[in-house]
Amino acid sequence: MYLLFCNLSVNDIFGNTVLLPRLLADMFVPKKLTTYAQCATQAFCSHTFGSASHMILIIMAFDRYVAICNPLRYTAIMTTKTIVMLSLSAWGFSLILVAILLGLTIRLSRCRSTILNAYCDNASLFKLSCEDVSINNLYGLVFTAVLFGSSIGSILVTYFRIAIICWTKKSKDLNNRALQTCASHLLVYMIMLWTGFLTIILHRFPDYPYLRKLAYLLFHVVPANLNPIIYGM
């Protein structure tokens, strides 16, 4: 579990580092200028942060399931080697999906130079192009559906199995252990899920630019800063 905490902490630091220093610097200069390469790099890191967050929380849900539903086999199933392999898979899966996402965008020519966002992301980048971006939109939707679908599905399945075990065993000690270990994980997941949903939904409503910028900042800042408090407590 501590190795998973480490993954989550590294990812949170990564997500905040991508956004906050540049955002603070831009607050003190009249012209907010950035090169396309810098913008694409920030978008890549930002999407990797979001994808890795989901993947790490999926692994943590499986870890909680094994700990509660198969406690006597926990050390045999969740070995250090297993955790390392799952962690590498989570980061690798995120990096590959995001690399394809940004690769489809970088290939496009550009006819605009203004990004109406607090920071760079994939949608903002391909909106700079006057070419047909239907492939970008399609892959972006598939990418989001796969990521959120696997994330929500994994959480629902593991927590449903945990609930069934707690209901059938009717053990006060088991229920307390389940509540203690799952409440923090579920809280962190719900915060990340809803801030993520908010940013995706508001991208489709250009009439609310300031609300969209606020939602984007919340997605990076709120989960990453609440995670240490929630798990530390």
Side-chain angles (χ1 to χ4, degrees):
M1 196 63 184
Y2 289 110
L3 291 174
L4 295 177
F5 286 161
C6 181
N7 273 283
L8 196 64
S9 299
V10 169
N11 192 48
D12 288 340
I13 293 169
F14 176 63
N16 271 336
T17 304
V18 167
L19 175 67
L20 295 180
R22 181 57 192 263
L23 187 66
L24 291 171
D26 283 342
M27 290 172 63
F28 299 101
V29 293
K31 291 185 178 181
K32 282 76 174 174
L33 300 176
T34 184
T35 66
Y36 187 81
Q38 290 172 340
C39 198
T41 302
Q42 188 182 54
F44 179 84
C45 295
S46 176
H47 284 288
T48 302
F49 159 73
S51 302
S53 296
H54 279 275
M55 298 305 298
I56 293 166
L57 288 171
I58 289 173
I59 298 172
M60 292 177 78
F62 177 70
D63 178 81
R64 295 300 84 206
Y65 164 73
V66 176
I68 294 167
C69 299
N70 294 284
L72 298 180
R73 298 181 59 210
Y74 179 80
T75 53
I77 297 173
M78 302 302 289
T79 62
T80 302
K81 182 180 179 181
T82 301
I83 292 294
V84 169
M85 292 301 297
L86 288 173
S87 300
L88 291 175
S89 299
W91 285 100
F93 184 73
S94 301
L95 289 170
I96 291 170
L97 286 181
V98 174
I100 297 172
L101 184 74
L102 268 296
L104 290 171
T105 297
I106 293 172
R107 69 185 173 86
L108 300 171
S109 62
R110 298 176 294 280
C111 60
R112 304 180 187 93
S113 60
T114 303
I115 289 180
L116 302 175
N117 246 350
Y119 64 91
C120 300
D121 67 340
N122 181 60
S124 298
L125 284 172
F126 71 65
K127 286 178 181 178
L128 297 177
S129 176
C130 294
E131 295 184 36
D132 179 20
V133 294
S134 55
I135 295 177
N136 300 74
N137 273 313
L138 179 61
Y139 181 81
L141 289 172
V142 172
F143 171 80
T144 304
V146 169
L147 184 65
F148 277 77
S150 59
S151 172
I152 294 171
S154 300
I155 298 296
L156 287 176
V157 169
T158 52
Y159 275 87
F160 179 75
R161 295 294 299 272
I162 289 171
I164 292 295
I165 290 291
C166 292
W167 177 261
T168 54
K169 296 289 185 181
K170 297 186 183 299
S171 167
K172 186 177 179 180
D173 180 61
L174 178 65
N175 291 343
N176 288 335
R177 189 168 77 242
L179 181 63
Q180 290 169 4
T181 57
C182 294
S184 55
H185 173 265
L186 193 59
L187 180 60
V188 167
Y189 180 76
M190 293 305 295
I191 291 170
M192 188 201 67
L193 185 67
W194 285 109
T195 52
F197 266 134
L198 198 59
T199 59
I200 293 169
I201 292 169
L202 287 174
H203 228 303
R204 271 67 184 173
F205 295 93
D207 296 334
Y208 303 99
Y210 293 106
L211 187 58
R212 187 172 70 244
K213 290 176 184 177
L214 179 62
Y216 273 44
L217 292 176
L218 290 176
F219 174 70
H220 270 269
V221 175
V222 172
N225 286 280
L226 284 182
N227 287 351
I229 298 172
I230 293 169
Y231 278 112
M233 295 291 285

